[in-house]
Amino acid sequence: MMQSLGLFSQSAVEQVAVGNEYIEYLEGCLLDNFIFWNSRTQQYFLCLVHFLTTWTDCYEVFVEMKNIKIMH
């Protein structure tokens, strides 16, 4: 399961992602969507483009939730 961390600027996401292993890219119009593995926290991060206006965007960042028990 993934939890939304909210909206972040491109530079903020780049600072967090630097030095980590990128898993997958999907080309976008202004920014690319991508998944990366953070070796420090041992979690996957999903970064999806979020359009603010026609000419500006940012990222909505999701993080893998650890130790989640799904009840049926």
Side-chain angles (χ1 to χ4, degrees), residues 9-20 22 36 38:
S9 68
Q10 180 180 4
S11 61
V13 170
E14 288 174 353
Q15 287 177 356
V16 173
V18 69
N20 290 294
Y22 288 80
F36 71 91
N38 186 305

Side-chain angles (χ1 to χ4, degrees), residues 2-10 12-13 16 31 33-34 36 45-52 57-65:
M2 302 291 278
Q3 176 184 0
S4 176
L5 297 178
L7 301 177
F8 294 88
S9 68
Q10 180 180 4
V13 170
V16 173
L31 295 175
N33 299 309
F34 62 94
F36 71 91
F45 285 79
L46 172 63
C47 302
L48 300 176
V49 66
H50 178 83
F51 294 99
L52 299 172
D57 55 6
C58 63
Y59 281 111
E60 183 169 7
V61 178
F62 297 85
V63 64
E64 173 189 32
M65 296 175 63

Side-chain angles (χ1 to χ4, degrees), residues 10-45:
Q10 180 180 4
S11 61
V13 170
E14 288 174 353
Q15 287 177 356
V16 173
V18 69
N20 290 294
E21 181 181 350
Y22 288 80
I23 306 299
E24 185 67 45
Y25 278 95
L26 180 61
E27 292 185 14
C29 295
L30 299 174
L31 295 175
D32 295 335
N33 299 309
F34 62 94
I35 300 170
F36 71 91
W37 171 254
N38 186 305
S39 57
R40 186 178 58 78
T41 64
Q42 300 288 301
Q43 292 173 296
Y44 289 100
F45 285 79

